[in-house]
Amino acid sequence: MATFSLDDIRAAADAKYGSTDIQLDEKTTVVLRNPLRLSKDERGDLAGLQDKLDGDNDLDQGDVLADAIRLVAKDKKVAEKLIEQVAGDLAVLASIFETYTKGTQAGEA
């Protein structure tokens, strides 16, 4: 019979459902949490934001993508630094979100 500690299980979950990290500079990294690591309400909010991106063409996609980054970021202040550095560049925001979603697909249930 195999025996595992809770620390073993946590380490396996961290490896499988880890974050997407974006380094801003030598001292600052934005940690975007895997959807499975979000609260139930946060997961619902993220799904709502993704639905907005898929449906309404009249909305400002940059605002929605920035809101999604704020939502999934572990540290909201660091997320704001990232959004400020992107300076409204929709292509960069879309690339960040695409990188995030690709990084989380393998771990989603």
Side-chain angles (χ1 to χ4, degrees):
M1 171 186 245
T3 302
F4 300 94
S5 71
L6 184 53
D7 287 339
D8 294 336
I9 301 297
R10 284 187 178 125
D14 287 343
K16 188 171 183 178
Y17 305 110
S19 61
T20 299
D21 299 348
I22 300 171
Q23 188 172 357
L24 295 179
D25 57 41
E26 291 180 12
K27 296 181 182 180
T28 311
T29 301
V30 181
V31 176
L32 304 177
R33 300 171 293 158
N34 185 292
L36 293 177
R37 294 322 233 342
L38 302 174
S39 70
K40 182 177 181 178
D41 289 341
E42 289 171 323
R43 287 192 305 272
D45 292 345
L46 181 60
L49 290 170
Q50 289 174 312
D51 288 345
K52 283 183 181 181
L53 288 172
D54 292 338
D56 188 356
N57 292 329
D58 292 332
L59 58 80
D60 184 329
Q61 290 183 335
D63 288 343
V64 177
L65 290 168
D67 286 345
I69 291 167
R70 286 182 189 101
L71 177 68
V72 301
K74 185 174 182 178
D75 183 322
K76 306 308 180 199
K77 289 181 182 179
V78 177
E80 286 303 325
K81 288 181 183 181
L82 171 64
I83 292 165
E84 286 173 19
Q85 288 189 20
V86 170
D89 187 330
L90 185 56
V92 174
L93 285 169
S95 293
I96 290 169
F97 197 70
E98 180 181 1
T99 299
Y100 170 73
T101 57
K102 282 183 181 178
T104 62
Q105 284 176 354
E108 288 188 277

